[in-house]
Amino acid sequence: MTITLYDTKARKKRPFVPLDAKNVRMYVCGPTVYDRAHLGNARPVVVFDVLYRLLRHTYGEAHVTYVRNFTDIDDKINARAAESGRNIGEITAETTQWYLEDMAAIGALAPNQMPRATAYVGQMKEMIARLIAAGHAYEAEGHVLFAVDSWRAHYGKLSGRSVDDMIAGARVEVAPYKQNPMDFVLWKPSTDDLPGWDSPWGRGRPGWHIECSAMARALLGETFDIHGGGLDLQFPHHENEIAQSCAANHTDEMARYWLHNEMLQVEGKKMSKSLGNFFTVRDLLDKGVPGEVIRFVFLQTHYRKPMDWTEKKRAEAEKRLAGWYRKTDGVKSGVVPSRIEYLLGDDLNTAAVLDEMVRLSPAPLRAAMDLLGFPSGNEVDWFRTIAVDLTGTSASGSQGLYSRELSPYLLRWQELRNAKDFKNADKIKQQLEQAGLKLKIGTEGPHAEVLSEFDITALKEIKL
């Protein structure tokens, strides 16, 4: 199939042709781990997860490498440690795990590589040394800065700005040791109370931009296929990545395609704590919003358009997705329709894909849901409208026998499945079946059929 992607640098859609179809490589800027991921942080995760799935579908799972980093060196992390009195390592380990759990809850596959910046400081120092040797960086008062003037002919091509225009409208750090206001930090000094590493330029820590350049080079090579992230990273982060990577590696390009997703709003307004409309992915999950519903709302808007999260969209998404789950419950996945492949391959037109899926019969619909990252009905239960349905309970022809006795056990089984605690759910299921019940999950919820060998006294041995 053909994939066409909008390349920010080219400012147009381009047919995607990988450097090596047997080794398709993608890098996406990941989170700074000091707190829970808010809803806006989740949008690029879903966008590039869909692209990752499409690339695997097209080129084969074994032929795609997806790298998404963790920034665990940052002033925000240092500030959080200072105000909380906690160890920096504890904070980053905890928040990294939170992030992984929350992103898994909205259906994101784990990337092939998830490097931490602290594990690549050596590669960062090596790249900085190469930039200094090539005349693209200089030392000044314990800092090392990238010399934008040394890259002036190329700098700004991603964002479409000239250096002079950037200087005129810049809101950058003014420092006397900078040769040009646009020069950016590659290395900066650390005081004794801050994380630091020994280097030829003194004890210090890397700047933000050099992290991704070093990690991408180490894991994907000097030039790779796709670099992605939120539109807010286009300048200066991605612009600076290109400059330092190409200057250090002596290449014409860092990535062949640059993709950026637009920003997110809540009820038509920018998400902010002052407006009271700021919330994390975990906030929604804890309120009972299924992760797949969050994902559905995201996919209803094309990734290059601003997305507005509203309660109305959430409710509509839940209703529509529940209908699809009931329609495909117990159905074996079929072949992804060519029309779905075409629409998704057309610059990830997920909004059009969702509209097209309304017309699909169960097996193709289940296949399309798989491709978009929606779990099967065996993995989720929220769409089942009745928590426990005992109308099928029978013994010796009697309907409803033992309903009162069985309800607490079936309710607990359902609760564990809803919590995705399948280990304990399966344990209860096994115990109930050993007691003489036949259990199954139907469209409306769990059912229990009482077999002739049912032993009601065995229920007392089951711990809820």
Side-chain angles (χ1 to χ4, degrees):
M1 62 172 290
T2 301
I3 298 176
T4 304
L5 301 172
Y6 184 88
D7 180 6
T8 304
K9 191 174 182 181
R11 288 165 182 73
K12 64 180 180 181
K13 288 200 290 188
R14 297 171 53 207
F16 177 67
V17 181
L19 289 164
D20 179 1
K22 297 293 184 181
N23 184 23
V24 182
R25 291 160 287 163
M26 177 171 70
Y27 186 97
V28 175
C29 292
T32 299
V33 282
Y34 69 99
D35 207 345
R36 287 280 187 186
H38 61 68
L39 197 60
N41 299 142
R43 192 178 191 197
V45 173
V46 172
V47 167
F48 292 102
D49 180 68
V50 170
L51 178 55
Y52 180 40
R53 291 172 182 274
L54 178 62
L55 293 173
R56 287 166 34 127
H57 176 75
T58 304
Y59 297 97
E61 182 177 335
H63 302 303
V64 181
T65 301
Y66 174 21
V67 177
R68 187 184 67 217
N69 72 292
F70 287 106
T71 293
D72 58 352
I73 313 170
D74 188 83
D75 290 342
K76 291 179 180 178
I77 299 172
N78 299 337
R80 182 58 56 88
E83 69 185 24
S84 66
R86 298 181 64 197
N87 179 276
I88 286 174
E90 291 178 2
I91 292 172
T92 58
E94 179 182 64
T95 51
T96 295
Q97 187 59 36
W98 286 348
Y99 182 86
L100 293 173
E101 291 171 357
D102 293 348
M103 297 309 104
I106 58 174
L109 296 171
N112 302 97
Q113 298 279 351
M114 293 184 283
R116 295 174 295 106
T118 50
Y120 287 80
V121 174
Q123 288 87 337
M124 297 176 209
K125 291 192 289 185
E126 189 270 339
M127 182 172 274
I128 293 170
R130 294 175 68 182
L131 288 168
I132 293 173
H136 293 296
Y138 59 93
E139 296 180 64
E141 299 184 20
H143 295 74
V144 179
L145 298 108
F146 185 89
V148 169
D149 281 335
S150 74
W151 202 251
R152 196 180 188 93
H154 311 284
Y155 194 77
K157 289 187 176 180
L158 179 66
S159 55
R161 314 176 189 185
S162 71
V163 174
D164 290 336
D165 288 342
M166 287 187 229
I167 293 174
R171 296 176 61 184
V172 296
E173 178 188 358
V174 177
Y177 49 78
K178 284 188 175 184
Q179 296 176 359
N180 182 316
M182 296 305 300
D183 292 350
F184 55 90
V185 172
L186 301 173
W187 189 264
K188 55 188 175 182
S190 288
T191 55
D192 292 341
D193 61 325
L194 293 174
W197 289 261
D198 291 332
S199 80
W201 321 289
R203 183 178 181 277
R205 60 195 190 278
W208 175 36
H209 311 301
I210 196 68
E211 294 178 12
C212 290
S213 288
M215 288 185 279
R217 180 176 185 266
L219 296 171
L220 298 177
E222 295 181 349
T223 302
F224 50 93
D225 295 300
I226 299 169
H227 196 315
L231 188 62
D232 57 325
L233 299 180
Q234 180 183 347
F235 182 86
H237 186 52
H238 289 167
E239 194 76 74
N240 292 350
E241 277 190 60
I242 292 172
Q244 62 200 10
S245 291
C246 293
N249 299 330
H250 306 289
T251 56
D252 292 332
E253 56 186 4
M254 178 186 184
R256 301 189 66 227
Y257 299 81
W258 287 84
L259 274 68
H260 294 91
N261 63 274
E262 255 286 3
M263 298 296 98
L264 176 141
Q265 296 178 323
V266 175
E267 301 290 349
K269 297 179 180 180
K270 182 179 179 180
M271 187 168 64
S272 72
K273 292 181 180 178
S274 61
L275 293 175
N277 65 349
F278 180 95
F279 48 89
T280 67
V281 173
R282 179 51 52 182
D283 289 335
L284 289 176
L285 295 171
D286 287 346
K287 290 179 180 177
V289 180
E292 39 278 2
V293 171
I294 298 173
R295 187 180 186 91
F296 194 102
V297 174
F298 282 165
L299 298 183
Q300 283 182 304
T301 303
H302 191 275
Y303 78 93
R304 287 194 291 111
K305 294 182 179 180
M307 197 204 99
D308 189 17
W309 175 277
T310 68
E311 177 58 25
K312 181 180 179 182
K313 285 184 179 180
R314 182 212 60 77
E316 291 175 348
E318 188 166 317
K319 181 179 179 181
R320 190 167 164 191
L321 192 54
W324 287 359
Y325 272 120
R326 294 191 187 98
K327 185 175 181 179
T328 60
D329 197 30
V331 174
K332 186 177 180 180
S333 182
V335 177
V336 177
S338 58
R339 177 65 178 168
I340 297 297
E341 291 181 329
Y342 168 78
L343 292 172
L344 198 58
D346 183 15
D347 195 32
L348 305 182
N349 194 350
T350 55
V353 170
L354 293 179
D355 288 341
E356 182 69 20
M357 287 167 67
V358 175
R359 304 178 178 88
L360 300 180
S361 56
L365 175 58
R366 184 58 255 170
M369 292 174 72
D370 288 340
L371 182 57
L372 287 182
F374 293 110
S376 71
N378 291 330
E379 299 174 81
V380 295
D381 274 351
W382 60 265
F383 68 93
R384 305 180 196 279
T385 56
I386 301 174
V388 175
D389 184 349
L390 293 171
T391 56
T393 302
S394 62
S396 304
S398 300
Q399 291 292 322
L401 190 63
Y402 299 124
S403 292
R404 179 173 57 82
E405 291 87 352
L406 291 179
S407 286
Y409 298 93
L410 294 180
L411 279 169
R412 183 56 179 156
W413 182 40
Q414 176 80 342
E415 288 172 356
L416 290 169
R417 285 177 54 83
N418 281 337
K420 299 188 178 181
D421 185 356
F422 297 113
K423 180 180 179 180
N424 285 315
D426 289 344
K427 183 178 179 180
I428 286 183
K429 180 175 184 285
Q430 183 181 31
Q431 291 174 314
L432 290 172
E433 289 179 336
Q434 287 174 348
L437 297 175
K438 183 177 181 181
L439 304 180
K440 68 176 183 177
I441 294 288
T443 302
E444 300 301 325
H447 296 256
E449 180 182 351
V450 180
L451 304 179
S452 58
E453 60 266 28
F454 176 60
D455 178 9
I456 193 170
T457 62
L459 296 180
K460 298 178 182 179
E461 304 299 321
I462 301 174
K463 295 182 180 180
L464 296 180

